[in-house]
Amino acid sequence: MNVPVANAREINELLARYGVKFGIYKNGTFNEQLFPFDAIPRIISAEDFSHMEKGLIQRVDALNMFLRDIYSDRKIIKDGVIPEDFVCASKGYLAQCADLIPSKGIYSHISGIDLVQAKDGTWYILEDNLRIPSGASYPLIARELCRMASPGLFEGGRIADNRNYASLLKNTMDYVNCGGINVILTPGRLNAAYFEHSYFAEKTGAVLVQNTDLFVEDNILYMKDYQGGKTRVGAVYRRISDEYLDPLTFLPESLIGVPHIMDAYRAGNTAIINAPGNGVADDKGIYYFVPKMVKYYLGEEPILKNAPTYLPFYDEDRKFVLDNLEKLVIKDVSEAGGYGVVFGRDMTREQLESWRRLITEQSRRFIAQEVIDFIDLEIAENDKTVMRKADLRAFVLSGEKTQVWASGLTRFSRKADSFVVNSSQGGGFKDTWVLSQE
Amino acid sequence: MKQLQFEYETKLEFSQSVTEHSFSLRCMPFSDGRQIIAEPGFEILPVSGSIWRSRDSFGNTLICGRNEKPHKSFSFRVYGKAQIVNSCKVNGSAPEFYKFHTPLTRPGKEIELFYKKNKPSGGSVLSRAEALSNSLFNFMTYKSGVTKVNTTAEQAIEIREGVCQDYAHILLSLLRIEGIRCRYVSGLAFKCGETHAWVEVYDGTCWTGIDATHNRLIGDNYIKLCHGRDYSDCPIERGIYRGNANSVQTVTSKVTEI
């Protein structure tokens, strides 16, 4: 089943009009780029998806249990499964959130899990994104436009309908809501993902707000209305990062945060989606320990595999990394968005030597992974079809239960031979079709 | 055991009116095994908007407020009585995060060098902490006006001068290299004048206060207001407002024996 959707050019024009863009900071300047859409869908079989779904639910459940544990009893540290260094010295760990249990005990409500499929068909987890994973709106709107362009393709229910993302998201917000309305808190028009913020607000019935629309009084979060009245807010799907969330708790210079929102949250009067402090669980250093978490918290074998990963922090792993550097990919644990990723095979002899020194000196700062030769997907380029590397961001929503959205964001590299698919590195995207039966 | 009476006031004068002023104050001393607070009270001016209480993850009590209306000054005053049961020790627990550096305590070359030269040769947590405090005291000169609230431990040791906050941050940095859990404390310690900062070290069961600025254990005239991993976790006053105003702050405190 290889079915290019008709009118690809027109769909891209419409996406541009709707503001489906990506903002990129480079050398201190902000540029908005279109996020190019490729009309050839990625197709995932029902069987493949069902396996992936079980594995993702298991993984996200374990990650949520980990977050709850390390912000309360810290049993996994006391039991020696994860060294405290990897928790407390992580940039994403917020001591300001210790002993603070969010509504219904859920930390990661919306998880964006990045996977790749190796040439032998095995799916590997590349990265967990538990802070503010973006991107679900892109396949959603692309599907909407494709339905208009090629309605026949979607007849007969062969392709799982992905329009339920809005209800999954709304149900998640409603489940943790502490009384009051749902809002989506955006830093504003200039944010790279502003299209997504406004689109989700429209689709879920949440109110799109900026910080100046909100205030806290007596540990209760309110939205101001035009008449000078106030409406209680029970859940905030915030699209601003932890450090800017509350200038009275985190960065004092934040101008996009809501003063005292952390006090309302601590008092249990509002839910914050996703919970502040989640960064500790999607740290690249913690990634290594996720299969161990699955065993520790759930007593199960992990269904989905990590890419083989080495932690130079451990002597044995460091020796292996130094000896095999030219075959490995090195990632800086504190970087995201495809930054801080270097491949040993691209290095000169001098560079290899200086990386060896750096890894020895700062062993906690890096992880090393084997390079997975993941599959190429067909991309339409100037009336031709070319093969490019692609990954998949699956969206997992945790409310009353944990569910995987039967779609996802497929991102591809627009450069031949490049393994970096991040949109912030100039990649494009595809719709992801999950087949509903074999 | 000592009975103290305390009074502490901070006043901010703005150069122009400000509005939508939100603030969090960690100015209410709380009772622990070392100090018992009686008849506490506070007063915030101007009386407008709402005032409520909150907590933080370090165990401090917060007085929060929000004043929408224009005002040109802001002040808060706390008062009460404190019974000091133990001069420098208090039982308690210490989460792992007290072992780790923060941006304000992260050592650079100078602190690492200083630590290497002055590494304690063993002994109890407290004796090692006192040894580091002693070396630091001999190295630094107390001088106000040369550092700011966001000066890091490394920056302060580079110039070898600073105030109590800098002494505390450097000692925290050294203690964390040494692997000792420790925290920053703000409080009242003198008969009159400003607030003071010191350090508490954890030995597995109890916290002991060390005043690095004076190179001594804290005494029964010290009243703790709040604590955290460093200064930025527990400022006594933190606020945000709308308005292009500069502010001048005056602090007065008075601690007398009853």
Side-chain angles (χ1 to χ4, degrees):
Chain A
M1 190 164 154
N2 189 2
V3 261
V5 171
N7 307 90
R9 197 173 58 87
E10 287 77 5
I11 291 172
N12 264 297
E13 280 167 13
L14 276 173
L15 288 172
R17 251 183 89 178
Y18 283 119
V20 180
K21 291 177 187 176
F22 224 92
I24 299 176
Y25 279 99
K26 206 168 189 180
N27 306 326
T29 54
F30 179 75
N31 285 305
E32 257 186 345
Q33 292 189 2
L34 293 175
F35 193 23
F37 169 68
D38 180 72
I40 308 171
R42 163 182 240 151
I43 296 169
I44 298 175
S45 71
E47 191 192 358
D48 240 17
F49 182 73
S50 147
H51 176 75
M52 194 190 288
E53 191 178 26
K54 287 190 195 90
L56 288 169
I57 291 171
Q58 179 193 54
R59 189 170 177 104
V60 168
D61 283 347
L63 285 164
N64 262 311
M65 292 171 89
F66 168 70
L67 282 162
R68 183 170 182 157
D69 183 21
I70 56 132
Y71 282 117
S72 53
D73 302 332
R74 301 180 294 276
K75 281 194 192 122
I76 199 161
I77 297 177
K78 287 171 191 152
D79 287 340
V81 179
I82 300 181
E84 58 186 12
D85 234 70
F86 280 82
V87 175
C88 299
S90 155
K91 263 194 191 170
Y93 175 78
L94 300 177
Q96 293 90 335
C97 295
D99 297 320
L100 207 172
I101 307 295
S103 168
K104 303 284 201 307
I106 301 170
Y107 284 78
S108 188
H109 312 81
I110 302 152
S111 310
I113 312 294
D114 294 345
L115 305 107
V116 290
Q117 191 171 25
K119 289 201 165 133
D120 67 359
T122 314
W123 287 91
Y124 288 95
I125 307 273
L126 222 47
E127 202 169 288
D128 305 292
N129 296 279
L130 310 181
R131 283 167 287 177
I132 314 171
S134 63
S137 64
Y138 304 129
L140 258 178
I141 187 160
R143 182 79 61 93
E144 216 174 293
L145 297 174
C146 291
R147 276 176 182 280
M148 291 188 229
S150 310
L153 273 179
F154 301 93
E155 276 170 12
R158 288 172 306 156
I159 302 155
D161 195 340
N162 75 353
R163 284 174 293 186
N164 66 336
Y165 189 78
S167 63
L168 284 173
L169 184 56
K170 182 178 186 301
N171 292 344
T172 301
M173 288 195 265
D174 288 345
Y175 182 66
V176 294
N177 187 301
C178 304
I181 58 166
N182 294 328
V183 300
I184 296 180
L185 174 61
T186 175
R189 165 70 193 85
L190 286 177
N191 185 268
Y194 185 73
F195 160 74
E196 179 158 299
H197 309 162
S198 57
Y199 188 72
F200 285 157
E202 187 189 313
K203 296 284 172 193
T204 61
V207 182
L208 185 66
V209 296
Q210 284 187 238
N211 64 332
T212 47
D213 300 317
L214 301 177
F215 69 95
V216 173
E217 210 171 68
D218 295 329
N219 292 333
I220 295 171
L221 180 65
Y222 294 102
M223 183 183 75
K224 293 178 211 170
D225 64 32
Y226 297 113
Q227 288 84 36
K230 56 187 188 186
T231 308
R232 194 171 160 161
V233 177
V236 184
Y237 179 15
R238 47 77 183 231
R239 300 293 304 236
I240 61 180
S241 50
D242 290 356
E243 57 271 42
Y244 293 100
L245 194 56
D246 183 345
L248 297 178
T249 300
F250 305 114
L251 286 180
E253 61 268 31
S254 169
L255 297 175
I256 54 172
V258 180
H260 294 308
I261 194 172
M262 287 298 288
D263 298 292
Y265 174 59
R266 183 181 299 276
N269 292 332
T270 196
I272 297 179
I273 298 166
N274 288 345
N278 279 7
V280 65
D282 67 9
D283 182 297
K284 290 186 177 73
I286 281 292
Y287 165 89
Y288 174 90
F289 296 100
V290 179
K292 292 179 199 289
M293 284 175 206
V294 171
K295 283 182 209 158
Y296 181 79
Y297 293 115
L298 302 170
E300 297 170 7
E301 282 302 313
I303 297 167
L304 287 167
K305 286 182 184 155
N306 266 9
T309 304
Y310 305 91
L311 279 192
F313 175 81
Y314 292 122
D315 293 342
E316 198 183 324
D317 283 20
R318 185 169 60 247
K319 190 178 177 313
F320 180 86
V321 172
L322 298 179
D323 290 346
N324 295 280
L325 193 57
E326 62 286 353
K327 287 183 232 151
L328 300 170
V329 49
I330 308 297
K331 296 181 178 176
D332 189 325
V333 297
S334 60
E335 298 277 358
Y339 296 98
V341 176
V342 289
F343 290 85
R345 61 174 182 221
D346 298 337
M347 292 177 194
T348 62
R349 190 178 296 187
E350 290 77 35
Q351 283 170 326
L352 281 169
E353 256 331 290
S354 71
W355 272 97
R356 285 194 180 99
R357 271 198 305 277
L358 196 61
I359 291 166
T360 311
E361 282 163 14
Q362 302 184 41
S363 58
R364 166 69 181 86
R365 194 178 143 190
F366 302 99
I367 61 166
Q369 287 177 331
E370 283 176 26
V371 180
I372 297 173
D373 193 9
F374 53 101
I375 55 166
D376 298 271
L377 294 183
E378 289 188 332
I379 313 290
E381 199 180 88
N382 306 325
D383 303 322
K384 277 189 312 213
T385 303
V386 295
M387 301 302 282
R388 294 288 182 265
K389 296 291 174 208
D391 77 347
L392 171 68
R393 175 167 291 180
F395 290 89
V396 185
L397 285 94
S398 304
E400 197 168 3
K401 52 187 180 179
T402 305
Q403 287 172 281
V404 182
W405 180 39
S407 184
L409 175 68
T410 294
R411 299 178 298 179
F412 59 88
S413 168
R414 288 203 292 159
K415 289 180 232 153
D417 305 322
S418 172
F419 279 64
V420 180
V421 298
N422 299 61
S423 20
S424 44
Q425 303 285 329
F429 80 103
K430 284 172 172 292
D431 191 4
T432 308
W433 292 2
V434 173
L435 299 184
S436 40
Q437 67 242 359
E438 283 310 298
Chain B
M1 196 191 302
K2 229 179 212 180
Q3 301 277 0
L4 304 171
Q5 185 153 354
F6 65 89
E7 195 182 329
Y8 164 71
E9 184 176 9
T10 288
K11 189 164 190 180
L12 290 172
E13 298 276 359
F14 302 109
S15 58
Q16 301 184 27
S17 273
V18 302
T19 57
E20 291 179 44
H21 184 178
S22 294
F23 51 86
S24 286
L25 310 174
R26 290 174 177 82
C27 59
M28 279 313 264
F30 50 89
S31 296
D32 57 20
R34 185 187 156 265
Q35 60 185 30
I36 296 163
I37 307 299
E39 300 165 46
F42 70 90
E43 185 182 80
I44 293 174
L45 292 172
V47 184
S48 165
S50 42
I51 302 287
W52 68 92
R53 280 175 192 259
S54 186
R55 304 175 277 125
D56 67 17
S57 287
F58 307 101
N60 301 306
T61 301
L62 276 71
I63 296 170
C64 302
R66 180 170 180 274
N67 184 358
E68 270 198 305
K69 302 231 169 73
H71 51 287
K72 274 198 80 173
S73 71
F74 170 76
S75 71
F76 59 93
R77 189 172 75 89
V78 295
Y79 48 86
K81 290 175 179 160
Q83 193 182 83
I84 306 299
V85 185
N86 189 306
S87 67
C88 64
K89 283 184 194 302
V90 59
N91 285 332
S93 60
E96 288 86 352
F97 57 68
Y98 284 121
K99 268 165 81 170
F100 292 86
H101 288 291
T102 64
L104 285 173
T105 73
R106 186 157 295 124
K109 282 203 178 86
E110 290 298 318
I111 286 188
E112 272 163 12
L113 188 70
F114 182 87
Y115 175 77
K116 220 177 258 174
K117 283 186 187 157
N118 297 283
K119 188 174 163 38
S121 52
S124 68
V125 164
L126 192 56
S127 66
R128 285 182 286 148
E130 284 184 286
L132 286 168
S133 171
N134 187 51
S135 315
L136 178 64
F137 181 77
N138 293 327
F139 187 75
M140 296 282 288
T141 307
Y142 187 92
K143 192 173 176 186
S144 56
V146 292
T147 53
K148 296 182 192 154
V149 286
N150 57 358
T151 299
T152 65
E154 179 69 13
Q155 289 165 341
I157 207 167
E158 273 169 16
I159 58 170
R160 298 183 65 169
E161 290 173 340
V163 294
C164 55
Q165 177 181 319
D166 305 302
Y167 278 77
H169 279 155
I170 301 170
L171 184 57
L172 290 170
S173 183
L174 296 167
L175 290 165
R176 287 178 184 152
I177 301 177
E178 182 68 15
I180 296 173
R181 295 183 196 206
C182 52
R183 66 190 178 195
Y184 181 95
V185 182
S186 279
L188 311 172
F190 310 115
K191 286 194 179 76
C192 60
E194 297 237 334
T195 53
H196 192 42
W198 60 91
V199 166
E200 284 181 341
V201 297
Y202 191 68
D203 63 10
T205 49
C206 92
W207 290 96
T208 306
I210 299 179
D211 181 350
T213 319
H214 296 99
N215 190 25
R216 64 183 183 212
L217 295 177
I218 64 164
D220 52 14
N221 53 342
Y222 283 62
I223 301 172
K224 181 201 272 195
L225 295 177
C226 55
H227 60 235
R229 291 166 305 166
D230 64 15
Y231 165 79
S232 70
D233 275 346
C234 54
I236 295 173
E237 185 267 338
R238 193 154 157 182
I240 184 165
Y241 49 78
R242 194 173 283 278
N244 185 16
N246 296 317
S247 65
V248 179
Q249 178 185 279
T250 34
V251 176
T252 47
S253 74
K254 204 168 130 188
V255 178
T256 45
E257 208 173 322
I258 311 173

